[in-house]
Amino acid sequence: MTDTTPRGWVPVEHRFLGLDRRTFAPALSVLVIALLLLYGLPALNAAIPWHNEIRAGDVLDLGDGATAVPPVGWQLESGTLTGAGSASPSSLQVQLAAGGATISLRGTSFTGTADAFLDQVQRSEGSPPGVDGSRGTVTTASGLVGVAQGSSSPNGDALDVAFKMAAASGEAEAAPALLVRVRTAPGQFERLQDTVATFLRGITPGASR
């Protein structure tokens, strides 16, 4: 009679509460890594303060002489202030954050109107949930006119504003495009709408070419 070992059989010296002790170390390593990713890194990010807080008088460089005045007290997570470098309007990336809210600016080359640019952005991303379909206009203190559309969902509120960064109306078609995106936690936008409105009014195009 031939003895056969059942599949999955674990020798007595390797058992603990019916489990194979040899699998404990790999499983524990996986658990530690998972806990680190889930709790450790966010806690570390929260514990490390940003040291790039916007101060009174700071001005964002949007490239080719275009500028924007960021809200004081927000954190500049990416982007360039005037006098600290040179930004490109066709590859601009700026990110401002405060609490659960963010304001991002993305620049690109686009031939067409601000309205067409916003259409293209929405087509490339699919129809965002909560968009009500209505659009309005935003006029900056310098006379730059943008096209704005808001949305709301259980995840929060959003506002997208598209500009063509032209100093003169005849240059709008060929001018770089700028997309300003505001994202807030649910119920937060109403408290920040004056801050957002002031920021949008402070966007200024570069000098006429």
Side-chain angles (χ1 to χ4, degrees):
M1 182 175 182
T2 303
D3 292 333
T4 59
T5 302
R7 178 176 296 180
W9 180 80
V10 179
V12 174
E13 62 271 22
H14 293 303
R15 295 182 199 167
F16 179 75
L17 297 179
L19 302 174
D20 188 347
R21 290 186 302 172
R22 294 171 296 182
T23 65
F24 286 7
L28 184 60
S29 299
V30 172
L31 179 61
V32 169
I33 292 172
L35 290 175
L36 178 63
L37 293 174
L38 187 60
Y39 298 106
L41 294 182
L44 182 62
N45 287 335
I48 300 177
W50 287 94
H51 297 289
N52 208 8
E53 182 175 311
I54 296 297
R55 298 174 180 173
D58 285 346
V59 178
L60 292 171
D61 183 357
L62 305 185
D64 283 353
T67 60
V69 180
V72 174
W74 285 52
Q75 300 295 333
L76 180 62
E77 297 185 354
S78 64
T80 305
L81 296 177
T82 56
S86 180
S88 171
S90 60
S91 59
L92 182 73
Q93 293 193 27
V94 177
Q95 180 89 357
L96 298 160
T102 61
I103 299 175
S104 65
L105 296 88
R106 299 292 181 266
T108 187
S109 298
F110 182 82
T111 301
T113 65
D115 200 54
F117 175 56
L118 188 54
D119 283 339
Q120 184 187 71
V121 170
Q122 292 181 346
R123 282 196 304 269
S124 67
E125 298 177 347
S127 298
V131 171
D132 61 13
S134 62
R135 290 185 179 180
T137 58
V138 173
T139 303
T140 71
S142 62
L144 194 65
V145 179
V147 179
Q149 186 160 22
S151 63
S152 182
S153 75
N155 295 324
D157 298 320
L159 176 68
D160 286 348
V161 185
F163 293 98
K164 292 303 298 289
M165 301 298 287
S169 58
E171 302 172 350
E173 285 287 317
L178 176 69
L179 179 67
V180 181
R181 312 198 98 165
V182 182
R183 299 292 185 267
T184 73
Q188 190 182 24
F189 187 84
E190 184 174 357
R191 179 171 60 84
L192 295 174
Q193 61 183 354
D194 289 342
T195 298
V196 172
T198 299
F199 174 76
L200 293 172
R201 284 196 299 269
I203 296 175
T204 304
S208 179
R209 299 180 186 180

